[in-house]
């Protein structure tokens, strides 16, 4: 945008408004980031998603202060009680407060979502950037390897890992992240490949700018948009994956809870104590929906040319 | 073209080797073995069992023996189900998983494509937005939430289907639908995106100028290119439906491959775990190849050599 403006200035010199005025206008103009932010702020669903997620994170962080019960406080004499009164979301068959378990469960589910995505981002971006920037034979070999990796049934590997090394929450972060980086690597590589052949990079090379500076000034700012968008869309996938593993009994361990284990407990009791299924399912669904709203909104905001998909 | 297919099929070899090696050493690194049980068995019997399954040999030798067996297409005997081979177990359980997967794929494609085409033909109208909102809702519905709710509604309240187990073919309908919903949502979004991209092209404007009806334009000109994004998602989706069957098989209590797999990993049934993973890897390679070939058919600009 700005580039075009300056050529416009050069062509119209003398005729139109003075050069100084136009530069003042350019200085007051908006950067691409501000543009994106504006577009995002106009998207009501995305803003609602963002606000909901912030609220959910806050609730999860403050869980010990918000609830007078702990996720592990069992009250066998009380047993399962329907929602209302003392226990807003009822209690499960061991008399544990479901709201407390949901709040503490959100900590696990969200932490897995963010951390595993961060792991996938680090691996994917470095792999893709190295492959794309070096190009040539290195690129060919790395992409062939990626093709082979695409054919591996990764979910099964995560299951084997969880079975073998026990239900370790840190292992879960790494395992889930290590599985999700393939597409990220592809996206980054494609971007890098197209950017490094642009004229401005060539121009920078000819005036003797170092590789690191090119990567820092020209490549990274250009790939950061797609990386953020794809990461936002990876978070719900990972949250879902964790819930899926916990549902199979391979995620977090009792009495600790995540949304997945709570749903699994709820399924077992759905005919007699339906609230045990309804509240956790609802929490997971709304969180996933919010994440997807935000991810979609970000994608449209950062790359208005790309449609929905 | 043939050369391309052969080269892609040869890709199976490094995939299989990688899978076999990593799972072999992972499984053997795990504490516990396939013959641990509550019951005390005498050292002699233990030694006999170990000798029978070559567990007394050094790991490297076991590994080579396994690869050798693999090369002849034999996945070995199951350690836990004493008189059954892994090939046999896969042959009996996979058809169930495949059937559920196919039904799921059918639902995903029929619901997803029709919703996507509907939304794209009414681009940026309230119909389009509500269809896409629905799709976003569908993406946020995990199968382990949909499944139990379906059982609650259709099996328990309405009594249309059996609650669990697999006796008749229609018992696979609910599991298939459960699995299909989320992918239907993905397909709907991809189809809408693909078509809305094509609609803006010049050749569509030409077709309109020629006076062709909307239906003809959609069927003859738009659809072929508009379905490309959905096609490229077909491979991952089909794969995910096979692996995703883990949850559905657990919820609906079906005797499929996925459930056997989780159980065999818990049992340390080395050969069965590796057999399942290897089998799936081959399946994924073949499916990805089919999708790429379909891609070349839909988009003449794509050629393989």
């Amino acid at each position: 945008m700005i580039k075009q403006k300056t050529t416009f200035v050069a062509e119209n010199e003398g005729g139109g408004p003075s050069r100084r005025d136009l530069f003042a206008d350019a200085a007051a103009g908006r950067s691409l980031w501000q543009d994106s932010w504006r577009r995002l702020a106009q998207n009501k669903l995305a803003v609602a998603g963002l606000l909901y997620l912030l609220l959910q994170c806050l609730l999860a962080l403050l869980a010990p202060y918000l609830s007078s019960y702990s996720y592990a406080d069992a009250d066998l004499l009380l047993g399962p009680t329907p929602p209302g009164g003392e226990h807003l979301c009822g209690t499960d068959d061991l008399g544990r407060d479901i709201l407390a378990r949901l709040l503490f469960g959100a900590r696990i589910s969200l932490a897995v979502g963010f951390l595993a995505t961060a792991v996938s981002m680090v691996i994917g971006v470095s792999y893709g950037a190295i492959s794309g920037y070096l190009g040539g034979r290195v690129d060919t070999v790395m992409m062939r390897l990626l093709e082979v990796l695409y054919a591996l049934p990764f979910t099964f590997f995560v299951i084997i890992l969880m079975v073998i090394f026990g239900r370790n929450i840190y292992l879960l972060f790494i395992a889930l992240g290590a599985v999700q980086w393939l597409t990220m690597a592809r996206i980054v590589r494609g971007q890098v490949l197209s950017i490094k052949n642009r004229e401005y990079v060539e121009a920078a090379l000819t005036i003797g700018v170092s590789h690191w500076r090119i990567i820092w000034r020209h490549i990274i700012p250009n790939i950061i948009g797609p990386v953020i968008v794809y990461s936002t869309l990876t978070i719900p996938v990972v949250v879902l994956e964790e819930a899926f593993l916990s549902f199979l009994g391979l995620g977090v361990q009792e009495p600790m809870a995540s949304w997945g284990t709570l749903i699994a407990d709820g399924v077992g009791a759905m005919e007699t104590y339906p609230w045990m299924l309804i509240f956790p399912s609802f929490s997971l669904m709304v969180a996933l929906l919010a994440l997807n709203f935000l991810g979609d909104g970000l994608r449209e905001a950062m790359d208005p040319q790309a449609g929905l998909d | 073209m043939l050369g391309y297919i052969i080269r892609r099929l040869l890709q199976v070899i490094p995939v299989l080797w990688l899978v076999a090696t990593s799972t072999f050493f992972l499984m053997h690194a795990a504490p516990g073995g396939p013959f641990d049980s509550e019951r005390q068995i005498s050292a002699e019997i233990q030694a006999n069992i170990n000798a029978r399954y070559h567990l007394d040999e050094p790991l490297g030798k076991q590994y080579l023996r396994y690869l050798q067996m693999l090369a002849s297409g034999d996945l070995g005997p199951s350690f836990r189900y004493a008189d059954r081979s892994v090939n046999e177990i896969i042959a009996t359980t996979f058809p169930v998983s495949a059937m559920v997967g196919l039904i799921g794929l059918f639902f995903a494609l029929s619901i997803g494509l029709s919703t996507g085409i509907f939304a794209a033909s009414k681009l940026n109208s309230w119909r389009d937005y509500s269809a896409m909102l629905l799709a976003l809702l569908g993406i946020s519905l995990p199968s382990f939430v949909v499944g139990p709710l379906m059982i609650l509604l259709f099996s328990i309240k309405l009594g249309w289907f059996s609650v669990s187990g697999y006796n008749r073919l229609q018992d696979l309908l609910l599991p298939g639908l459960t699995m299909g919903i989320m992918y239907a949502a993905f397909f709907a979004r991809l189809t809408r995106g693909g078509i809305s991209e094509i609609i803006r092209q010049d050749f569509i404007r030409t077709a309109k100028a020629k006076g062709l009806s909307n239906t003809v334009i959609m069927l003859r000109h738009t659809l072929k290119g508009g379905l490309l994004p959905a096609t490229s998602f077909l491979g991952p989706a089909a794969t995910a439906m096979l692996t995703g069957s883990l949850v559905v098989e657990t919820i609906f209590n079906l005797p499929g491959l996925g459930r056997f797999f989780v159980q065999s990993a818990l049992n340390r049934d080395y050969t069965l775990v590796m057999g399942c993973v290897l089998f799936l890897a081959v399946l994924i390679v073949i499916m990805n190849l089919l999708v790429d070939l379909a891609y070349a058919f839909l988009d003449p600009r794509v050629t393989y050599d």
Side-chain angles (χ1 to χ4, degrees), chain A residues 147-148 151-152 156-157 159-160 163-164 240 243-244 248 267 270-271 284-285 289 292-293 296 299 308-309, chain B residues 19 22-23 26 30 132 136 139-142 144 148 156 182 189 192 243 246-247 261 265 268 280 284-285:
Chain A
E147 260 173 52
V148 170
L152 301 186
F156 286 64
F157 271 115
I159 290 174
I160 294 176
V163 167
I164 291 171
L240 203 61
F244 160 89
L248 290 176
V267 167
M270 67 177 170
E271 281 176 67
L284 176 66
M285 249 173 56
L289 202 58
N292 282 323
F293 279 152
D296 265 6
R299 173 157 45 180
L308 245 177
D309 267 301
Chain B
V19 171
S22 50
T23 17
L26 261 178
M132 284 304 105
L136 208 51
I139 288 180
S140 311
L141 276 176
F144 47 83
I156 295 171
M182 185 186 263
R189 282 157 58 95
R192 179 197 178 272
T243 46
L246 286 176
V247 164
F261 173 77
R268 305 278 185 277
L280 273 171
I284 296 174
V285 172

Side-chain angles (χ1 to χ4, degrees), chain A residues 34 43 45 63 74 76 98 132 134 140 224 247 257 276 307:
Chain A
Q34 284 168 315
N43 187 333
L45 286 178
L76 289 173
I98 289 181
L134 292 180
T140 315
I224 228 167
F247 181 83
M276 275 179 66

